[in-house]
Structure formats: structure tokens, C-alpha cells
């Protein structure tokens, strides 16, 4: 049983966690280089509709903007730090603070680091950029406080002791950047269809298929021969069993999709470290530097190409890719939410 209020609820994780331990307030936004505009949100409002602010179109009929930037504050309290870190770490908490950026429709995830370790209690400015070419529909923003160091040689206690464990989170915002019926170009196209009625799609009970017949524009097909799964994937809620199942299914799909995109993009790098297609550049910009712990994306992409083409290094680079995608997608979080929902905790 927990003694905390709902605002600072401890989950069923095997360590202290605050799901409302970081106060997150968005107060304004800018479109490209335009003026900063106040959001004027109502208390407890978490849905932010920006479609009217970006509704002007260019000659092709597409919305004429490149980046939306959201501004606000994150506040980390002494109470949260005391709850999730042992006493000897509270003066200099080994944690970073970031905001995750997620778009279900394009299977896009990113994060904006707000504070590197150590992250002490206090108020932090937030500036989150949302690029048009990576999202469509609704974008989700949520802050997390994450451990950056493992505690070695310690007896088990009530605190997280491993690197990259999330120990606190805050309000989840839903930012609508275009209307659902508008056909905004995503990182890759997606469509639900019955595989059994389409000869170009695989037989059997496949859940999804990533189609590279048009190398310049891959397409993700979701198999609607599984009507219950397709129905869950269309769920737009944020709580409840369907929302939790949707997030777990999307994590599973996105892992397989990212592996294919990353291997294909890495294999397409030329001798100059360049690629032909926009989606390849997007994938390499997102992952290559982290795979090789370097700030030089050209160096990272060349190393990725070489390692993918060499049978001796291929197993090792696939292990790197797996590790990076587990960190990027973080399937553990959605699985915990689903298990809690199933246990009615």
C-alpha cells in the first residue's frame, strides 16, 4: 500500500518512483522564426491544438512551416529528490532531466535534454522543437528524471540503483500539429490493409510489413486481418487498458521497423558518407552518433556502413543497434503500465 497522494503516487516498481514528481508547464510557442505566442492554458489542460497557428499553406497545399518550438518550465522539488534518491546522493543527484517527444502516427521518438547530471531541485527552462518532417497529427511531450549512475556494492533498498532507470515523471501533453484528416507527409507512410487480399503483402498472420519497393519512400503496412489489434491501434486515449495495449504493440512494431530502416540506411551510405533519400538521412541523424558515441555524424555513418558490410563486425554492430533501440524505445515503461492495468493497481 502507498502512503502518498495521487499527485505523488508510488508505482509497483521495485524502487521509489514519482509519476507526478516533476512539475511541467508549457506557456508559449513559436512557429519557425515567428513571434512567441502565449498558450493561455486552462488549469489541468493537457491538449494543445496548434492547427490554426500552422494552417497557412504553400503553393503545394502543404502547411507552410518547418518547426514548432514549445516553451515552458520544469520544476523539480526537494520532496521528489528525497523520495527517489538515498541521503548520500541528494546534495548532487546523479540524474538528468529530459522531455520525450513521441508521435504514434509516424513511430517517431526523440528527447530534449533539459539538465545533465547532477540535477538539483529547482526550476529549469524548457525549449522543445517539433520538426514538421518527423511528425503528423498529435505529438506527446512528457518529462522524466533519470538516473545516470549505477550504485555498486550497495545492499538492496527502496531506491533505483541502475543507470538509465527513470525515477520520476510529469504531465503528459498532447500537441496537435495538424488535423487528423489532413495528409501530412510523415517520415514513412503507413496504412492499414488486409494482407490476405493483397498479393504484394506476405501471407500468414504477420502483424506488419515494411515495404521497400519504392526505396525513396518506404511504406509500413499494418495487417487489418487482425481486427481487434487494428482497433486497439486506433485508440486515441491516454489511460486504460486499450491505451496501454496500443503503446506496447507500437513499441513492438517500431522496434522491428527501426532495425530495418537503420540497417538499410547504413548499408546505403556512399564513400562520401552520404545517402540519397530523406528518410535515410533522418534515420542516420537520429541513431548513428549514439551508436558510436561521437558528435560527427559523417564519421559515424561511415563506420556503420563498414561494420554492416563486414561479416566479422556485423554481429557486434547488431548488438549495438539492439542496445540503442532498447534505450530509444524503452519498452519496459509501457510493459509496466500494461501490467499495472492488468493487475488493476
Amino acid at each position: 500500500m502507498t502512503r502518498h497522494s495521487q499527485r505523488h503516487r508510488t508505482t509497483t516498481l521495485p524502487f521509489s518512483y514519482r509519476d507526478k514528481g516533476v512539475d511541467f508547464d508549457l506557456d508559449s510557442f513559436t512557429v519557425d522564426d515567428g513571434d512567441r505566442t502565449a498558450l493561455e492554458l486552462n488549469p489541468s489542460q493537457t491538449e494543445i491544438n496548434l492547427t490554426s497557428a500552422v494552417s497557412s499553406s504553400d503553393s503545394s497545399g502543404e502547411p507552410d512551416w518547418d518547426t514548432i518550438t514549445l516553451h515552458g518550465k520544469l520544476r523539480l522539488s526537494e520532496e521528489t529528490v528525497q523520495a527517489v534518491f538515498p541521503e548520500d546522493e541528494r546534495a548532487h543527484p546523479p540524474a538528468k532531466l529530459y522531455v520525450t517527444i513521441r508521435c504514434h502516427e509516424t513511430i517517431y521518438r526523440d528527447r530534449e535534454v533539459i539538465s545533465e547530471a547532477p540535477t538539483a531541485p529547482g526550476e529549469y527552462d524548457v525549449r522543445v522543437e517539433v520538426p514538421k518532417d518527423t511528425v503528423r497529427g498529435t505529438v506527446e511531450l512528457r518529462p522524466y528524471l533519470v538516473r545516470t549512475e549505477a550504485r555498486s556494492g550497495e545492499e538492496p533498498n527502496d531506491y533505483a540503483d541502475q543507470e538509465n532507470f527513470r525515477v520520476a515523471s510529469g504531465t503528459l501533453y498532447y500537441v496537435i500539429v495538424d488535423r487528423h484528416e489532413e495528409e501530412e507527409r510523415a517520415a514513412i507512410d503507413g496504412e492499414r490493409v488486409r494482407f490476405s487480399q493483397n498479393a504484394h503483402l506476405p501471407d500468414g498472420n504477420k502483424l506488419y510489413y515494411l515495404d521497400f519497393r519504392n526505396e525513396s519512400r518506404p511504406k509500413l503496412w499494418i495487417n487489418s486481418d487482425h481486427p481487434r489489434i487494428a482497433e486497439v491501434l486506433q485508440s486515441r486515449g491516454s489511460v486504460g487498458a486499450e491505451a496501454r495495449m496500443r503503446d506496447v504493440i507500437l513499441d513492438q512494431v517500431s522496434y522491428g521497423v527501426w532495425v530495418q530502416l537503420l540497417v538499410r540506411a547504413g548499408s546505403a551510405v556512399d564513400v562520401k558518407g552520404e545517402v540519397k533519400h530523406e528518410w535515410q538521412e533522418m534515420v542516420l541523424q537520429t541513431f548513428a552518433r549514439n551508436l558510436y558515441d561521437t558528435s560527427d555524424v559523417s564519421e559515424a555513418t561511415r563506420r556503420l556502413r563498414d561494420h554492416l558490410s563486414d561479416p566479422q563486425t556485423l554481429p557486434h554492430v547488431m548488438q549495438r543497434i539492439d542496445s540503442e533501440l532498447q534505450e530509444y524505445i524503452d519498452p519496459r515503461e509501457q510493459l509496466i503500465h500494461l501490467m499495472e492495468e492488468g493487475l488493476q493497481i
Side-chain angles (χ1 to χ4, degrees):
M1 295 291 291
T2 176
R3 296 188 177 90
H4 298 295
S5 67
Q6 178 62 24
R7 177 174 173 79
H8 292 303
R9 181 173 66 87
T10 299
T11 73
T12 55
L13 290 167
F15 52 81
S16 182
Y17 182 96
R18 292 292 179 93
D19 66 348
K20 295 294 181 184
V22 181
D23 290 328
F24 184 25
D25 292 308
L26 293 174
D27 53 42
S28 58
F29 71 95
T30 56
V31 179
D32 296 330
D33 297 323
D35 295 332
R36 193 158 163 173
T37 304
L39 286 170
E40 299 179 349
L41 303 180
N42 298 323
S44 302
Q45 180 179 345
T46 58
E47 183 173 287
I48 303 171
N49 192 334
L50 298 182
T51 56
S52 60
V54 296
S55 59
S56 60
S57 299
D58 60 19
S59 58
S60 68
E62 292 195 353
D64 188 16
W65 60 278
D66 292 316
T67 303
I68 295 172
T69 305
L70 292 121
H71 306 268
K73 301 285 185 182
L74 285 178
R75 284 174 288 274
L76 178 63
S77 68
E78 291 275 3
E79 181 185 1
T80 294
V81 170
Q82 291 174 7
V84 300
F85 292 103
E87 187 173 357
D88 63 313
E89 293 182 336
R90 293 171 188 168
H92 303 283
K96 60 185 174 183
L97 193 60
Y98 60 68
V99 175
T100 58
I101 308 164
R102 183 174 186 178
C103 181
H104 291 293
E105 292 193 47
T106 58
I107 322 180
Y108 173 74
R109 288 195 177 194
D110 202 354
R111 66 186 59 167
E112 183 66 36
V113 177
I114 306 302
S115 171
E116 297 282 6
T119 297
E123 183 175 270
Y124 298 86
D125 291 327
V126 172
R127 184 177 183 275
V128 177
E129 293 187 353
V130 179
K132 182 180 70 171
D133 60 359
T134 58
V135 300
R136 65 187 285 178
T138 300
V139 179
E140 297 179 3
L141 306 178
R142 191 176 191 185
Y144 290 96
L145 183 70
V146 183
R147 266 198 85 88
T148 55
E149 298 176 7
R151 285 173 64 83
S152 59
E154 297 287 338
E155 292 295 324
N157 53 37
D158 293 333
Y159 304 102
D161 59 4
Q162 298 298 315
E163 182 181 357
N164 293 323
F165 273 17
R166 293 174 174 177
V167 294
S169 56
T171 300
L172 172 61
Y173 283 99
Y174 301 88
V175 183
I176 304 172
V177 297
D178 62 28
R179 294 178 179 85
H180 190 258
E181 64 271 16
E182 292 178 351
E183 289 300 323
E184 190 72 36
R185 287 181 70 80
I188 62 171
D189 295 320
E191 186 175 337
R192 295 178 180 87
V193 70
R194 297 189 66 178
F195 283 21
S196 61
Q197 296 182 357
N198 289 270
H200 67 278
L201 295 175
D203 295 329
N205 293 320
K206 304 295 190 299
L207 174 60
Y208 66 92
Y209 177 69
L210 191 55
D211 188 349
F212 286 95
R213 288 178 301 166
N214 178 2
E215 187 71 26
S216 67
R217 194 71 183 172
K219 184 162 186 174
L220 175 63
W221 300 95
I222 299 293
N223 191 356
S224 59
D225 283 328
H226 310 300
R228 187 67 184 105
I229 295 175
E231 180 184 338
V232 168
L233 287 173
Q234 293 178 32
S235 169
R236 297 179 66 85
S238 59
V239 296
E242 283 206 349
R244 302 310 187 193
M245 287 187 288
R246 175 204 62 205
D247 291 345
V248 169
I249 294 169
L250 285 171
D251 280 349
Q252 180 181 352
V253 172
S254 64
Y255 181 93
V257 168
W258 281 124
V259 168
Q260 293 185 64
L261 292 174
L262 188 47
V263 170
R264 288 217 176 217
S267 300
V269 176
D270 64 21
V271 293
K272 297 180 180 178
E274 298 176 352
V275 288
K276 292 181 179 179
H277 305 302
E278 184 179 350
W279 70 265
Q280 295 168 336
E281 183 177 357
M282 180 274 291
V283 169
L284 294 171
Q285 287 282 352
T286 302
F287 293 108
R289 287 170 291 188
N290 287 342
L291 285 173
Y292 293 100
D293 195 22
T294 177
S295 60
D296 188 337
V297 68
S298 295
E299 176 192 349
T301 55
R302 283 193 292 266
R303 290 175 67 183
L304 177 60
R305 176 202 60 197
D306 293 343
H307 289 170
L308 286 170
S309 63
D310 186 341
Q312 297 297 318
T313 55
L314 179 59
H316 303 288
V317 74
M318 292 305 299
Q319 189 174 47
R320 283 175 181 253
I321 289 172
D322 175 78
S323 178
E324 173 61 20
L325 288 177
Q326 286 196 54
E327 169 69 13
Y328 184 76
I329 295 172
D330 194 11
R332 175 188 57 203
E333 177 193 4
Q334 305 304 336
L335 284 168
I336 288 171
H337 288 165
L338 179 60
M339 288 188 291
E340 289 181 342
E341 192 72 38
L343 294 170
Q344 297 182 351
I345 294 175

